[in-house]
Amino acid sequence: MRKDQIINYIGHTTMTIVDAMTKIDRNAKGVLFIVDEKEKLIGCVTDGDIRRWLIRTGDLSAEVKEAMTVSPKYLFSEERSEAIAFMQKEKIPSVPILNGKRRIVDLTFLSELSGGEEKKEKKSLKGVPVVIMAGGKGTRLYPYTKILPKPLIPIGETPIIERIINCFVEYGIEKYYITVNYKKGMIKSYFSELVPEYTIEYVEEKKPLGTAGSIRLIEESFQQPIFVTNSDALILTNYDALYDFHMQAQNDITIVAALKNIVVPYGVIHAKENGEVTDMEEKPRHSYFINTGMYVINPQVVEKIPKDSFFHMTHLVDAVMQDGGKIGMYPVSEDSFLDMGEFGEMQRMEEKLNIVTER
């Protein structure tokens, strides 16, 4: 690997958790190797390490050294030929190659050395229901949605709702509830012609019921936590890890939250009394976690949704908290949340999924 490529996988101890998360997003390998001021390897951090740190502390401003593993696996240059066997033995997807001064001179990835993408085993979530909210009008995507309902707007050649379902199908999920209202006939027709292997039950709103109200129309009594998701966003994360987190944390509701970095495109002036300027900050960045519109909710929580009433998922979250219930957050990176709600985001989604379209 060239030196200018290696730098994409290296971070320093003083970088923040947010910076590390962003750099891991960009290199798309899920790992960052941490070096000290002399460029010597001292640790590594994965997207999983960062997620566990954020779940435990919620601290976005901490330095990455707080979350890193301090005993990373590595090989020296003369041991390079042992890389595949070493990674298989240690069950790691990558290993840095060091020189005699413990500086990184190369990186090896198991998927590349073995001649293909490394296949990760996915725990089956067979039997877990998924509710997809597809009844909205998609006003942000007008005039597209004047012709098509938002869930059927294609990303590449595949409608967004089918891409969402395919993400769950990878985990063995077979039962889907789709809440419909606006242009519901088109959604039904699409899947009837598709003839999927999974089953779909349509939940028809006679009037708009919000992002949670239509769940109450489902006649089945759920026996285990269910996924609830919007129909206009892809969440690229490990769904079985998400489900396990919900169960182990004993949450009533788990909200999937994505990092969002907002850069003020101006120099910001800080001042005190009498307009005296204390300092100036050039294009400051603020980081937050935002609601992606995907949830895991417990069966008993559904009973808190009023019948035949307009009720959002945020109302349900408030109701659970007011009753002393537990709400948890499962963080994902900024690039793991692909929202189709606006035209600019549609293009970003296509780029992330490596979809080439003619415009």
Side-chain angles (χ1 to χ4, degrees), residues 316-333:
L316 182 59
V317 169
D318 289 340
V320 170
M321 287 194 294
Q322 288 173 8
D323 289 344
K326 186 178 180 182
I327 308 296
M329 178 190 78
Y330 186 84
V332 300
S333 67

Side-chain angles (χ1 to χ4, degrees), residues 242-340:
L242 163 60
Y243 200 80
D244 283 347
F245 166 75
H246 175 83
M247 300 292 285
Q248 292 171 13
Q250 298 182 335
N251 293 333
D252 291 296
I253 298 178
T254 296
I255 305 171
V256 179
L259 180 68
K260 183 68 174 178
N261 293 307
I262 300 173
V263 177
V264 179
Y266 306 99
V268 174
I269 297 172
H270 299 282
K272 59 181 182 180
E273 295 86 354
N274 300 318
E276 182 181 347
V277 174
T278 56
D279 65 279
M280 296 181 65
E281 189 177 6
E282 188 62 27
K283 297 181 180 178
R285 182 182 67 176
H286 302 281
S287 300
Y288 305 94
F289 277 110
I290 61 171
N291 186 351
T292 65
M294 179 185 280
Y295 310 81
V296 182
I297 69 174
N298 287 347
Q300 61 270 26
V301 168
V302 175
E303 300 300 316
K304 295 183 179 293
I305 301 173
K307 292 183 178 180
D308 198 35
S309 299
F310 188 89
F311 203 71
H312 280 316
M313 285 298 299
T314 50
H315 298 146
L316 182 59
V317 169
D318 289 340
V320 170
M321 287 194 294
Q322 288 173 8
D323 289 344
K326 186 178 180 182
I327 308 296
M329 178 190 78
Y330 186 84
V332 300
S333 67
E334 189 166 18
D335 269 7
S336 295
F337 172 49
L338 304 178
D339 179 24
M340 195 195 66

Side-chain angles (χ1 to χ4, degrees), residues 1-10 23 27 106-107 109 112:
M1 181 179 289
R2 300 194 314 268
K3 188 174 181 180
D4 61 334
Q5 294 175 316
I6 292 174
I7 196 171
N8 296 323
Y9 304 92
I10 293 178
K23 197 162 188 178
N27 72 39
D106 201 359
L107 295 170
F109 296 94
E112 295 174 0

Side-chain angles (χ1 to χ4, degrees), residues 64-348:
V64 71
K65 63 184 179 183
E66 300 294 335
M68 74 180 186
T69 297
V70 294
S71 300
K73 306 294 182 182
Y74 60 87
L75 292 173
F76 286 109
S77 296
E78 59 269 23
E79 301 171 308
R80 188 191 303 265
S81 62
E82 304 171 18
I84 292 180
F86 181 76
M87 287 185 281
Q88 290 174 337
K89 177 185 176 182
E90 298 293 339
K91 297 181 179 179
I92 54 176
S94 60
V95 63
I97 307 297
L98 310 185
N99 63 16
K101 295 182 179 180
R102 295 181 58 87
R103 294 175 180 171
I104 298 174
V105 293
D106 201 359
L107 295 170
T108 58
F109 296 94
L110 185 58
S111 61
E112 295 174 0
L113 292 180
S114 59
E117 286 295 323
E118 180 189 6
K119 293 185 178 179
K120 296 182 180 180
E121 292 186 6
K122 291 183 170 67
K123 177 182 175 182
S124 176
L125 294 174
K126 186 176 181 178
V128 177
V130 176
V131 179
I132 302 175
M133 303 300 189
K137 290 185 176 181
T139 53
R140 290 186 298 168
L141 290 175
Y142 187 86
Y144 281 8
T145 47
K146 186 176 181 180
I147 302 169
L148 286 174
K150 180 172 59 176
L152 292 186
I153 291 178
I155 302 301
E157 296 181 354
T158 305
I160 179 63
I161 191 170
E162 187 180 353
R163 289 189 180 275
I164 291 170
I165 291 175
N166 288 342
C167 288
F168 288 105
V169 168
E170 290 184 15
Y171 293 85
I173 296 178
E174 300 172 327
K175 184 62 181 287
Y176 300 85
Y177 297 87
I178 300 180
T179 68
V180 293
N181 186 331
Y182 181 68
K183 294 187 181 293
K184 60 186 178 183
M186 295 182 72
I187 297 173
K188 291 181 177 182
S189 294
Y190 177 81
F191 283 104
S192 65
E193 293 178 6
L194 188 65
V195 193
E197 295 181 0
Y198 45 84
T199 61
I200 295 175
E201 183 174 318
Y202 296 99
V203 183
E204 298 190 24
E205 297 177 329
K206 294 181 180 179
K207 62 180 181 180
L209 293 175
T211 53
S214 55
I215 299 175
R216 205 67 164 85
L217 298 176
I218 299 173
E219 296 181 357
E220 180 180 342
S221 295
F222 299 116
Q223 303 303 311
Q224 59 189 324
I226 67 174
F227 285 101
V228 177
T229 186
N230 290 340
S231 62
D232 59 357
L234 280 175
I235 312 297
L236 305 180
T237 192
N238 186 318
Y239 290 4
D240 64 58
L242 163 60
Y243 200 80
D244 283 347
F245 166 75
H246 175 83
M247 300 292 285
Q248 292 171 13
Q250 298 182 335
N251 293 333
D252 291 296
I253 298 178
T254 296
I255 305 171
V256 179
L259 180 68
K260 183 68 174 178
N261 293 307
I262 300 173
V263 177
V264 179
Y266 306 99
V268 174
I269 297 172
H270 299 282
K272 59 181 182 180
E273 295 86 354
N274 300 318
E276 182 181 347
V277 174
T278 56
D279 65 279
M280 296 181 65
E281 189 177 6
E282 188 62 27
K283 297 181 180 178
R285 182 182 67 176
H286 302 281
S287 300
Y288 305 94
F289 277 110
I290 61 171
N291 186 351
T292 65
M294 179 185 280
Y295 310 81
V296 182
I297 69 174
N298 287 347
Q300 61 270 26
V301 168
V302 175
E303 300 300 316
K304 295 183 179 293
I305 301 173
K307 292 183 178 180
D308 198 35
S309 299
F310 188 89
F311 203 71
H312 280 316
M313 285 298 299
T314 50
H315 298 146
L316 182 59
V317 169
D318 289 340
V320 170
M321 287 194 294
Q322 288 173 8
D323 289 344
K326 186 178 180 182
I327 308 296
M329 178 190 78
Y330 186 84
V332 300
S333 67
E334 189 166 18
D335 269 7
S336 295
F337 172 49
L338 304 178
D339 179 24
M340 195 195 66
E342 296 178 353
F343 293 108
E345 291 297 306
M346 288 175 63
Q347 183 174 354
R348 187 175 78 91

